[in-house]
């Protein structure tokens, strides 16, 4: 064939073409050669000489298609009510498929003639041109869809909607009215989308107005009734179960019939009618569910309420209150031997139980996790008496001490490790971390000095855990205590080689010391009593001081004899004993080297101990039966009371330790710890306030308070009144002043 | 004449001469002459001449005008300067001036100046005091408010004297803020807001006062039944 424009007789060519078009849109049999020739005819008409006939072709085709669709409508209308959807759908299938072919047949007209006249995409999207202008030519496929919309859907939409809603209602109730196939319903609905899919914008407009919005309304109405029916029939527990089931079914139904854009809308309609509208009823049931821990109900309530904005609040707050009550029941009013263990393990029990619940029932939801944290924190920081400090930090430190100390009852290493790791859970909830730190440091000091640690690895691991939870600064001192221990063991080695090198000095005993940095250890700066070092030890003490001065010029040593201990071998009894005891006890016993008895006055003068310490230590020796009181009760030691060696002493064991009552934490010590914490806090707050004010120069009262609160949160929760007092101190010391003419603002005094 | 301004040099000279004589009347003892200051005895004498008690509000006003550095002592300079400011050179005119002054300090700003001065005046700097012992502060409060009735004052003083743990000293800031407290909150303390920058002692006071008020209400109810 020739591509050259030529004269074409429109009437005859169109007559042939029309026949083929009819065949194509009804999916009739169109032989390949015919198709080919008609394709050429379209071309010939478009390029016809002397003038192109494309416009005419377009108009004629449009007229034909219009007639065709109208005839199809008559066919649909002629079908019975129960057949209507099926007929519509099968004609739509045929027509849309046919239009697809026809579009290709007219491909030359589409691409060469119509596209050129069409507005560009940009003009459509951003310009003022309306796509719907009637003069606008459409490509043939689009023209076909548009005609279907105008001449089929428009007149039929009421019937279609009524029948579709009916069919879906039947699907919900499980009845079937006209027995349409699901694919038919889905297809009819989809046709509302397909018919406008070629549009550049608002492609879902027809679907939404003709079908979706009345459908949503009907859905809402259906579930409104369903909800009130269910509420009358069943308990809230069962209601929630059924609602979840209905909601999931409706979800599946959406996927079966609707366009994906509707899924969320349908779901939220269901939730609105069955959950949000009956929120009060579900909320009313929350206290019972929570208190009785009805897992299935809780899980259902969570699943339903989650989707309603603010719906979970009531459940969350009941959960929090419940955990708090359970926690307080577990750890308040403890009594008996090991309160520390009861407290920590009780708290951990409650925590892990509800942590599990948060995971399993509440899908680890953020709201419930933080409610759990808040509840646990309020239990851990609970005070029976607001005037007294919270006991928890001290109890936790004691519990750690009991795990880290050498003991017979302790479990396996891994068990202890696990328990220590869990301590961190409780630790994180503690407000007054500084209190914990103080107690922990004191107990650690005792373990280290008296060699009571079960394992140094465990000690170190625990400190690292604390560091991880609270930062380097928090554990700095604890680390330094550790360093001192290892430095000291080096120092002891150096000391013994020093002795060897220097005139082969013999001390006559095994001597080992710890040198501890004053700032890092909670020990006090000096020995709390005078003490005359026993003659036997004098040489060692003297030599060590010489050695140390030589090594570290300028450092000052303070001997803490009250924390030292020694081993003494007793040779005056039936068999020899080796006894570990405190230095003060040892000093007293050594006084009996040359005599078997002496008065308290003599003993006190020789040891130079003050009366308090003397009483305590002499009593401990009498209680251990190494010393005896002649003619006294052994309760009060007058200066004239005569003390003598107990020559009849015997013990099953030959190597042992005298229990030193002084090692136990006394009430006094605890008070001291608390008051030193108070002092530390004041200093810390004052430093914080000065730091803040130095950088901000002028601050309003409330801003300053908030800053201080947030900066000290990691260590402790200061009371407002304490912060205020520190501000007042600083005003008094002239670090700060009130800004002139304002009573609510402070400024930094440089 | 009460002012030397514009009246020619002679009047000022007369005033100055009179002033020195006036001063020397009260600076009698050898000790006082040595220090060049009027001390306790001289002050007592002056008060007697003025027919005023030592703890009279007007004496405080005189000290304020003199800008006296501390209680119980008036240096020559302070005395002369105070008299010059008041334009007075005799007991009679001083007594008159002090009466005028009482009226003058009815003005809030001037009063506030006197009030702040009173703290500095009462502080025993030589003993290294930084804040006033509570008993001194209490008398001082009663004194400064002589002509300015403050309903809150009795409750405040009762609080200071009663509460455990005892309040020992009043720092300058607390002293100064008390005047603001009086101005800012109602007599029933209803306008007190403990989130503002009040010294913590006021927080305690208001809590104490409210507790007591509530108890009174309770008692009153019980009485009714």
């Amino acid at each position: 064939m020739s591509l050259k424009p030529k004269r074409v007789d429109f009437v005859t060519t169109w007559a042939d073409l029309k026949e083929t078009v009819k065949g194509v849109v009804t999916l009739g049999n169109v032989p390949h050669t015919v198709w080919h020739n008609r394709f050429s005819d379209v071309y010939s008409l478009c390029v016809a000489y002397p003038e192109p006939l494309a416009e005419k072709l377009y108009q004629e085709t449009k007229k034909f298609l219009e007639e065709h669709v109208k005839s199809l409508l008559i066919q649909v209308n002629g079908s019975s009510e129960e057949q209507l959807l099926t007929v519509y759908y099968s004609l739509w299938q045929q027509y849309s498929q046919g239009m697809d072919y026809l579009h290709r047949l007219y491909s030359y007209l589409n691409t060469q003639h119509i596209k050129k006249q069409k507005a560009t995409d940009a003009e459509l999207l951003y310009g003022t041109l309306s796509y719907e202008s009637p003069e606008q030519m459409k490509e043939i496929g689009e023209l076909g869809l548009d005609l279907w919309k105008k001449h089929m859907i428009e007149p039929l939409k009421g019937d279609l909607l009524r029948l579709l809603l009916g069919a879906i209602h039947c699907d919900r109730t499980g009845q079937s009215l006209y027995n349409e196939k699901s694919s038919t319903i889905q297809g009819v609905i989809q046709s509302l989308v397909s018919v406008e899919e070629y549009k550049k914008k608002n492609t879902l407009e027809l679907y939404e107005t003709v079908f979706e919005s009345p459908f949503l309304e009907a859905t809402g109405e259906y579930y409104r009734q369903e909800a009130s029916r269910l509420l009358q029939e069943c308990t809230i527990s069962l209601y929630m179960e059924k609602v979840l089931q209905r909601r999931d079914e409706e979800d599946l139904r959406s996927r079966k019939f609707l366009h994906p854009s509707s899924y969320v809308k349908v779901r939220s309609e269901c939730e609105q009618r069955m959950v949000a509208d009956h929120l009060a009823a579900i909320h009313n049931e929350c206290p019972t569910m929570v208190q009785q821990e009805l897992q299935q109900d809780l899980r259902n309530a969570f699943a339903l309420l989650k989707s309603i904005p603010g719906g979970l609040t009531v459940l969350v707050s009941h959960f929090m209150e419940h955990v708090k009550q359970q926690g307080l029941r577990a750890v308040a009013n403890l009594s008996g031997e090991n309160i520390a263990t009861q407290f920590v393990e009780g708290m951990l029990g409650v925590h892990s139980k509800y942590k599990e619940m948060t995971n399993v029932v509440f899908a680890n939801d953020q709201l419930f996790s933080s409610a759990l944290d808040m509840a646990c924190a309020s239990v851990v920081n609970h005070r029976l008496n607001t005037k007294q400090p919270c006991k928890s930090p001290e109890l936790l430190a004691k519990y750690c001490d009991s795990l880290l100390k050498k003991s017979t009852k302790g479990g396996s290493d891994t068990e202890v490790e696990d328990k220590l790791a869990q301590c961190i859970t409780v630790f994180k909830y503690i407000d007054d971390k500084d209190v914990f730190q103080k107690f922990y440091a004191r107990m650690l000091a005792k373990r280290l000095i008296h060699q009571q640690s079960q394992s140094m690895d465990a000690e170190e691991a625990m400190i690292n855990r604390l560091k991880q939870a609270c930062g380097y600064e928090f554990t700095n001192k604890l680390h330094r205590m550790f360093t001192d221990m290892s430095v000291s063991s080096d120092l002891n080695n150096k000391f013994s080689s020093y002795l060897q090198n220097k005139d082969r000095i013999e001390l006559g005993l095994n001597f080992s010391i710890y040198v501890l940095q004053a700032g890092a250890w909670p020990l006090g700066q000096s020995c709390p009593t005078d003490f005359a070092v026993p003659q036997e030890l004098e040489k060692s003490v003297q030599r060590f001081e010489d050695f140390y001065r030589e090594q570290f010029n300028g450092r000052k040593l303070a001997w803490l004899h009250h924390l030292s201990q020694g081993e003494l071998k007793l040779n005056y009894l039936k068999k020899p004993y080796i006894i570990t005891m405190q230095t003060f006890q040892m000093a007293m016993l050594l006084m009996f080297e040359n005599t078997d008895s002496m008065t308290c006055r003599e003993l006190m003068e020789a040891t130079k101990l003050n009366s308090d310490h003397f009483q305590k230590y002499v009593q401990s020796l009498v209680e251990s039966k190494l010393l005896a009181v002649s003619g006294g009760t052994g309760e009060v030691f007058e200066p004239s009371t005569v003390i003598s060696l107990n020559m009849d002493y015997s013990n099953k064991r030959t190597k042992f330790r005298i229990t030193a009552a002084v090692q136990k934490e006394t009430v006094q010590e605890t008070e001291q710890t608390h008051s030193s914490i108070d002092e530390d806090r004041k200093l810390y707050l004052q430093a914080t306030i000065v730091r803040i004010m130095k950088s901000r120069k002028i601050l309003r009262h409330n801003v300053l308070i908030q800053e201080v609160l947030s900066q000290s949160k990691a260590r402790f929760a200061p009371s407002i009144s304490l912060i205020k007092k520190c501000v007042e101190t600083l005003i008094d010391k002239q670090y700060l002043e009130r800004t002139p003419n304002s009573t609510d603002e402070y400024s930094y005094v440089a | 004449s009460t002012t030397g301004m514009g009246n020619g040099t002679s009047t000022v000279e007369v005033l100055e001469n009179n002033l020195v004589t006036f001063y020397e009347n009260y600076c009698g003892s050898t000790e006082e002459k040595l220090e060049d200051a009027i001390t306790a005895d001289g002050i007592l004498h002056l008060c007697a001449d003025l027919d005023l008690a030592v703890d009279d509000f007007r004496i405080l006003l005189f000290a304020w005008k003199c800008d006296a550095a501390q209680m119980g002592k008036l240096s020559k300079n302070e005395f002369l300067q105070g008299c010059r400011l008041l334009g007075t050179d005799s007991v009679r005119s001083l007594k008159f001036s002090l009466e005028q002054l009482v009226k003058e300090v009815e003005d809030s700003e001037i009063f506030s100046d006197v009030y702040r001065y009173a703290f500095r005046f009462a502080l025993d700097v030589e003993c290294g005091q930084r804040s006033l012992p509570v008993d001194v502060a209490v008398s001082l409060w009663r004194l400064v408010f002589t002509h300015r009735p403050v309903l809150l004052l009795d409750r405040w003083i009762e609080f200071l004297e009663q509460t455990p743990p005892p309040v020992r000293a009043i720092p300058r800031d607390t002293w100064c803020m008390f005047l603001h407290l009086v101005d800012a909150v109602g007599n029933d303390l209803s306008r007190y807001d403990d989130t503002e920058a009040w010294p913590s002692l006021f927080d305690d006071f208001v809590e104490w006062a409210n507790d007591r008020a509530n108890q009174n209400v309770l008692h009153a109810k019980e009485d009714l039944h």
Side-chain angles (χ1 to χ4, degrees), chain A residues 2 12 117 136 258 300 324 372 378 425 444 588 598 611 669 676:
Chain A
S2 160
T12 49
Q117 297 185 26
Q136 182 75 50
L258 308 182
N300 291 344
K324 188 174 157 190
L372 173 65
S378 86
T425 307
L444 174 63
M588 286 182 181
M598 60 169 76
S611 158
E669 269 182 308
S676 86

PDB file of all heavy atoms in Angstrom, chain A residues 2 12 117 136 258 300 324 372 378 425 444 588 598 611 669 676:
ATOM      1  N   SER A   2       0.236   2.297  -0.418  1.00  0.00           N
ATOM      2  CA  SER A   2       1.009   3.542  -0.513  1.00  0.00           C
ATOM      3  C   SER A   2       0.679   4.441   0.666  1.00  0.00           C
ATOM      4  O   SER A   2      -0.460   4.484   1.132  1.00  0.00           O
ATOM      5  CB  SER A   2       0.654   4.256  -1.830  1.00  0.00           C
ATOM      6  OG  SER A   2       1.009   5.596  -1.718  1.00  0.00           O
ATOM      7  N   THR A  12     -18.056   5.379   1.624  1.00  0.00           N
ATOM      8  CA  THR A  12     -17.821   3.941   1.454  1.00  0.00           C
ATOM      9  C   THR A  12     -16.795   3.432   2.442  1.00  0.00           C
ATOM     10  O   THR A  12     -16.965   2.358   3.039  1.00  0.00           O
ATOM     11  CB  THR A  12     -17.335   3.621   0.016  1.00  0.00           C
ATOM     12  OG1 THR A  12     -16.262   4.522  -0.283  1.00  0.00           O
ATOM     13  CG2 THR A  12     -18.444   3.744  -1.002  1.00  0.00           C
ATOM     14  N   GLN A 117      -3.712  17.760  19.613  1.00  0.00           N
ATOM     15  CA  GLN A 117      -4.657  18.778  20.071  1.00  0.00           C
ATOM     16  C   GLN A 117      -4.862  18.765  21.581  1.00  0.00           C
ATOM     17  O   GLN A 117      -5.406  19.691  22.162  1.00  0.00           O
ATOM     18  CB  GLN A 117      -6.028  18.534  19.411  1.00  0.00           C
ATOM     19  CG  GLN A 117      -5.969  18.668  17.930  1.00  0.00           C
ATOM     20  CD  GLN A 117      -7.345  18.549  17.339  1.00  0.00           C
ATOM     21  OE1 GLN A 117      -8.341  18.837  17.992  1.00  0.00           O
ATOM     22  NE2 GLN A 117      -7.411  18.131  16.099  1.00  0.00           N
ATOM     23  N   GLN A 136     -13.160  19.323  23.532  1.00  0.00           N
ATOM     24  CA  GLN A 136     -11.907  18.583  23.633  1.00  0.00           C
ATOM     25  C   GLN A 136     -12.072  17.185  23.027  1.00  0.00           C
ATOM     26  O   GLN A 136     -12.970  16.434  23.382  1.00  0.00           O
ATOM     27  CB  GLN A 136     -11.538  18.452  25.102  1.00  0.00           C
ATOM     28  CG  GLN A 136     -10.244  17.756  25.384  1.00  0.00           C
ATOM     29  CD  GLN A 136      -9.071  18.657  25.073  1.00  0.00           C
ATOM     30  OE1 GLN A 136      -9.022  19.793  25.502  1.00  0.00           O
ATOM     31  NE2 GLN A 136      -8.148  18.152  24.267  1.00  0.00           N
ATOM     32  N   LEU A 258     -13.713  -4.245  47.436  1.00  0.00           N
ATOM     33  CA  LEU A 258     -13.532  -2.799  47.250  1.00  0.00           C
ATOM     34  C   LEU A 258     -12.192  -2.410  46.661  1.00  0.00           C
ATOM     35  O   LEU A 258     -11.265  -3.207  46.566  1.00  0.00           O
ATOM     36  CB  LEU A 258     -13.684  -2.084  48.598  1.00  0.00           C
ATOM     37  CG  LEU A 258     -14.941  -2.397  49.393  1.00  0.00           C
ATOM     38  CD1 LEU A 258     -14.962  -1.568  50.659  1.00  0.00           C
ATOM     39  CD2 LEU A 258     -16.190  -2.128  48.574  1.00  0.00           C
ATOM     40  N   ASN A 300      -7.887  -8.089  74.075  1.00  0.00           N
ATOM     41  CA  ASN A 300      -8.937  -7.599  73.179  1.00  0.00           C
ATOM     42  C   ASN A 300      -9.171  -6.102  73.349  1.00  0.00           C
ATOM     43  O   ASN A 300      -9.281  -5.370  72.373  1.00  0.00           O
ATOM     44  CB  ASN A 300     -10.251  -8.338  73.440  1.00  0.00           C
ATOM     45  CG  ASN A 300     -10.162  -9.794  73.009  1.00  0.00           C
ATOM     46  OD1 ASN A 300      -9.257 -10.164  72.269  1.00  0.00           O
ATOM     47  ND2 ASN A 300     -11.081 -10.615  73.492  1.00  0.00           N
ATOM     48  N   LYS A 324       1.319  -0.489  90.500  1.00  0.00           N
ATOM     49  CA  LYS A 324       1.805   0.223  91.677  1.00  0.00           C
ATOM     50  C   LYS A 324       1.299  -0.456  92.957  1.00  0.00           C
ATOM     51  O   LYS A 324       2.068  -0.702  93.888  1.00  0.00           O
ATOM     52  CB  LYS A 324       1.339   1.676  91.613  1.00  0.00           C
ATOM     53  CG  LYS A 324       1.955   2.539  92.676  1.00  0.00           C
ATOM     54  CD  LYS A 324       1.567   3.993  92.478  1.00  0.00           C
ATOM     55  CE  LYS A 324       1.692   4.729  93.794  1.00  0.00           C
ATOM     56  NZ  LYS A 324       1.114   6.061  93.737  1.00  0.00           N
ATOM     57  N   LEU A 372       4.433   1.143  83.061  1.00  0.00           N
ATOM     58  CA  LEU A 372       5.118   0.174  83.922  1.00  0.00           C
ATOM     59  C   LEU A 372       6.295   0.847  84.617  1.00  0.00           C
ATOM     60  O   LEU A 372       6.487   0.707  85.832  1.00  0.00           O
ATOM     61  CB  LEU A 372       5.596  -1.014  83.079  1.00  0.00           C
ATOM     62  CG  LEU A 372       6.466  -2.034  83.803  1.00  0.00           C
ATOM     63  CD1 LEU A 372       5.691  -2.745  84.891  1.00  0.00           C
ATOM     64  CD2 LEU A 372       7.045  -3.050  82.830  1.00  0.00           C
ATOM     65  N   SER A 378       7.512   4.670  91.113  1.00  0.00           N
ATOM     66  CA  SER A 378       6.820   5.216  92.281  1.00  0.00           C
ATOM     67  C   SER A 378       6.825   4.217  93.436  1.00  0.00           C
ATOM     68  O   SER A 378       6.811   4.616  94.594  1.00  0.00           O
ATOM     69  CB  SER A 378       5.419   5.710  91.927  1.00  0.00           C
ATOM     70  OG  SER A 378       4.514   4.660  91.988  1.00  0.00           O
ATOM     71  N   THR A 425      18.035  -3.209  87.022  1.00  0.00           N
ATOM     72  CA  THR A 425      16.635  -2.867  86.752  1.00  0.00           C
ATOM     73  C   THR A 425      16.073  -2.002  87.875  1.00  0.00           C
ATOM     74  O   THR A 425      15.455  -0.965  87.637  1.00  0.00           O
ATOM     75  CB  THR A 425      15.783  -4.152  86.652  1.00  0.00           C
ATOM     76  OG1 THR A 425      16.407  -5.004  85.699  1.00  0.00           O
ATOM     77  CG2 THR A 425      14.372  -3.843  86.234  1.00  0.00           C
ATOM     78  N   LEU A 444      31.483  -1.511  99.705  1.00  0.00           N
ATOM     79  CA  LEU A 444      32.600  -1.969  98.873  1.00  0.00           C
ATOM     80  C   LEU A 444      33.912  -1.787  99.626  1.00  0.00           C
ATOM     81  O   LEU A 444      34.768  -2.681  99.641  1.00  0.00           O
ATOM     82  CB  LEU A 444      32.623  -1.181  97.553  1.00  0.00           C
ATOM     83  CG  LEU A 444      33.831  -1.443  96.642  1.00  0.00           C
ATOM     84  CD1 LEU A 444      33.850  -2.892  96.179  1.00  0.00           C
ATOM     85  CD2 LEU A 444      33.825  -0.515  95.440  1.00  0.00           C
ATOM     86  N   MET A 588      45.899  -5.394 122.514  1.00  0.00           N
ATOM     87  CA  MET A 588      45.553  -5.722 123.901  1.00  0.00           C
ATOM     88  C   MET A 588      46.151  -7.053 124.304  1.00  0.00           C
ATOM     89  O   MET A 588      46.770  -7.180 125.359  1.00  0.00           O
ATOM     90  CB  MET A 588      44.040  -5.779 124.054  1.00  0.00           C
ATOM     91  CG  MET A 588      43.416  -4.408 124.055  1.00  0.00           C
ATOM     92  SD  MET A 588      41.640  -4.578 124.303  1.00  0.00           S
ATOM     93  CE  MET A 588      41.188  -2.876 124.229  1.00  0.00           C
ATOM     94  N   MET A 598      46.235  -7.917 134.351  1.00  0.00           N
ATOM     95  CA  MET A 598      46.456  -6.486 134.628  1.00  0.00           C
ATOM     96  C   MET A 598      45.109  -5.790 134.764  1.00  0.00           C
ATOM     97  O   MET A 598      44.073  -6.343 134.392  1.00  0.00           O
ATOM     98  CB  MET A 598      47.328  -5.838 133.550  1.00  0.00           C
ATOM     99  CG  MET A 598      46.759  -5.889 132.136  1.00  0.00           C
ATOM    100  SD  MET A 598      47.695  -4.832 131.035  1.00  0.00           S
ATOM    101  CE  MET A 598      49.150  -5.776 130.769  1.00  0.00           C
ATOM    102  N   SER A 611      38.169   5.700 125.739  1.00  0.00           N
ATOM    103  CA  SER A 611      37.333   4.833 126.566  1.00  0.00           C
ATOM    104  C   SER A 611      36.305   4.043 125.751  1.00  0.00           C
ATOM    105  O   SER A 611      36.118   2.850 125.959  1.00  0.00           O
ATOM    106  CB  SER A 611      36.669   5.713 127.629  1.00  0.00           C
ATOM    107  OG  SER A 611      35.530   5.093 128.106  1.00  0.00           O
ATOM    108  N   GLU A 669      26.138   5.038 112.039  1.00  0.00           N
ATOM    109  CA  GLU A 669      26.833   5.140 110.761  1.00  0.00           C
ATOM    110  C   GLU A 669      25.866   5.475 109.641  1.00  0.00           C
ATOM    111  O   GLU A 669      26.168   6.295 108.772  1.00  0.00           O
ATOM    112  CB  GLU A 669      27.527   3.816 110.439  1.00  0.00           C
ATOM    113  CG  GLU A 669      28.956   3.747 110.941  1.00  0.00           C
ATOM    114  CD  GLU A 669      29.596   2.432 110.556  1.00  0.00           C
ATOM    115  OE1 GLU A 669      29.000   1.363 110.837  1.00  0.00           O
ATOM    116  OE2 GLU A 669      30.677   2.451 109.971  1.00  0.00           O
ATOM    117  N   SER A 676      25.978  13.046 105.492  1.00  0.00           N
ATOM    118  CA  SER A 676      27.030  13.412 104.548  1.00  0.00           C
ATOM    119  C   SER A 676      26.450  13.504 103.135  1.00  0.00           C
ATOM    120  O   SER A 676      26.898  14.324 102.329  1.00  0.00           O
ATOM    121  CB  SER A 676      28.194  12.426 104.607  1.00  0.00           C
ATOM    122  OG  SER A 676      27.974  11.330 103.771  1.00  0.00           O
TER     123      SER A 676
END
